[in-house]
Amino acid sequence: MAWVVIGGSKGTLTVIFACYIVGLLGSLLVSGVVSDRVGRKPVLLPALGLAMAACAIFVSASAVAALIVARLFSGIAVGAVVSAGMAAVTDVAGPGRRRLAALPASCAMVFGAGLGPLLAGVLGKGVFVLEAVLLAVAVLVVARMPVRRPVPPAKGAWVRIPGVPRGSGGQLLMGIAVFAPGITATSFVLSLGPSLLSGLLDTTSPVAAGAMAFVMFLTATGAQLAVQRLDRRTILLAGAVSTTIGMGALTAAVRASSVPLLVAAALLAGAGQGMGQLGGLSLLNSGVPASRLAEANAALNVGGYVPAGALPVTAGYLSDAAGLTTGATVFGAVLMALALVGGLVVLAGPASVRRK
């Protein structure tokens, strides 16, 4: 919402979004390993505090620099939550419900990602006041969370590119192969979707952009609930197919100036991210011990957010130089190819992924 007030080029808009990705990636280099060694709460509580600071900056932001700092802070906080927070959900669920734990963790992430833009479109900067209240509640919940301190690994650097134990690399690769194109597609909709809508509908209403983001992530949540009982390979293949078709719809939407096709592209992108995320988390929950789970979650998210930050920024600057139609078309074609490759990676993956 603050972007709508301050204004700027499409390239600058995507750079502001990319600052969130930079903060998130930097956090992932530390938060997963630290969480596995010292516990979930020592990582989550400072992250929630940093998110509250970001809310305060957003409320008072009057320049692009302030937005960059706020997005950086929020990215750092989210990096801690998607690694340590998702691992904490699995810890609370217990050893017998590790697969089931992936579902609420993943659904909470995508549903919250959609609810934020919708509330921002309706409430304006007031959404950050509401978010600060919710974060305060989250602090109380985390402080009372019954999570035991994990047994720390004996060796290894504290700050490193996150990874998985030996033997789990194939599962991580399959998850990233589908999750990365899916989250890159939704990142494009979040960063440049308002510009596309304003051109097609001749409106700058933040409610319209927020509503599109909301239904995109609502679809992500619904898709995860719909496929939760399927085997992991089927879930991942469905995610790859959804993202592929979605990017075809995006290309057609900008070429034909069609709002229905743009909405369809957003919905398919949401479903692709949701299923890729659920499939990836389920694979890691099934094969990675608790002492490395937060780091494994961080590795999955690093693999997803690197292209999610780089490709939309590239598309934004290309749109400034050659037009939004050209930028969106090139982006859609590249991501369609990546989603197809992701599907092939899943098909070539180990047969053990078929197990529920």
Side-chain angles (χ1 to χ4, degrees):
M1 174 62 187
W3 166 256
V4 176
V5 175
I6 295 171
S9 71
K10 298 178 185 65
T12 304
L13 172 58
T14 53
V15 166
I16 292 174
F17 180 79
C19 287
Y20 161 79
I21 304 294
V22 169
L24 187 149
L25 291 174
S27 176
L28 290 174
L29 298 179
V30 181
S31 56
V33 175
V34 173
S35 173
D36 286 336
R37 294 189 179 188
V38 305
R40 313 305 184 200
K41 293 182 184 181
V43 173
L44 291 174
L45 291 175
L48 293 172
L50 198 60
M52 295 177 74
C55 289
I57 297 173
F58 273 126
V59 168
S60 59
S62 59
V64 170
L67 292 179
I68 288 175
V69 172
R71 290 297 270 166
L72 189 66
F73 281 7
S74 60
I76 295 171
V78 170
V81 170
V82 298
S83 55
M86 289 187 171
V89 173
T90 304
D91 292 346
V92 172
R97 295 186 292 178
R98 287 172 67 89
R99 175 182 169 91
L100 178 63
L103 181 65
S106 187
C107 284
M109 179 178 172
V110 293
F111 184 74
L115 188 60
L118 177 63
L119 292 177
V122 175
L123 301 177
K125 288 190 175 184
V127 70
F128 299 114
V129 177
L130 175 60
E131 184 178 355
V133 173
L134 294 176
L135 287 168
V137 174
V139 168
L140 297 177
V141 172
V142 170
R144 297 178 61 85
M145 188 168 55
V147 178
R148 291 179 296 178
R149 180 169 175 164
V151 178
K155 298 179 180 179
W158 286 76
V159 179
R160 65 182 186 227
I161 297 175
V164 293
R166 187 181 300 275
S168 299
Q171 296 171 322
L172 176 63
L173 176 61
M174 291 173 65
I176 290 175
V178 179
F179 175 55
I183 198 168
T184 302
T186 57
S187 295
F188 177 85
V189 174
L190 287 175
S191 59
L192 286 181
S195 297
L196 287 169
L197 275 180
S198 66
L200 296 178
L201 293 178
D202 193 26
T203 177
T204 58
S205 170
V207 177
M212 185 171 70
F214 176 71
V215 296
M216 176 174 69
F217 287 114
L218 186 64
T219 302
T221 305
Q224 291 178 96
L225 294 172
V227 303
Q228 60 174 306
R229 296 186 181 277
L230 300 178
D231 63 85
R232 302 178 186 105
R233 176 172 291 192
T234 301
I235 293 173
L236 288 170
L237 285 174
V241 170
S242 183
T243 302
T244 301
I245 299 174
M247 291 304 93
L250 173 66
T251 301
V254 296
R255 307 299 293 187
S257 299
S258 170
V259 173
L261 280 175
L262 179 61
V263 173
L267 297 181
L268 288 164
Q273 178 191 331
M275 289 185 283
Q277 182 172 294
L278 176 62
L281 288 173
S282 296
L283 283 176
L284 297 179
N285 276 3
S286 67
V288 177
S291 61
R292 294 286 301 278
L293 186 56
E295 183 183 357
N297 289 341
L300 176 68
N301 282 280
V302 166
Y305 278 104
V306 167
L311 291 181
V313 169
T314 302
Y317 277 105
L318 180 59
S319 298
D320 285 336
L324 188 55
T325 298
T326 299
T329 299
V330 172
F331 175 86
V334 170
L335 206 57
M336 185 185 300
L338 291 177
L340 285 171
V341 171
L344 293 176
V345 170
V346 173
L347 287 174
S352 60
V353 179
R354 297 180 187 274
R355 294 199 303 268
K356 292 186 178 182

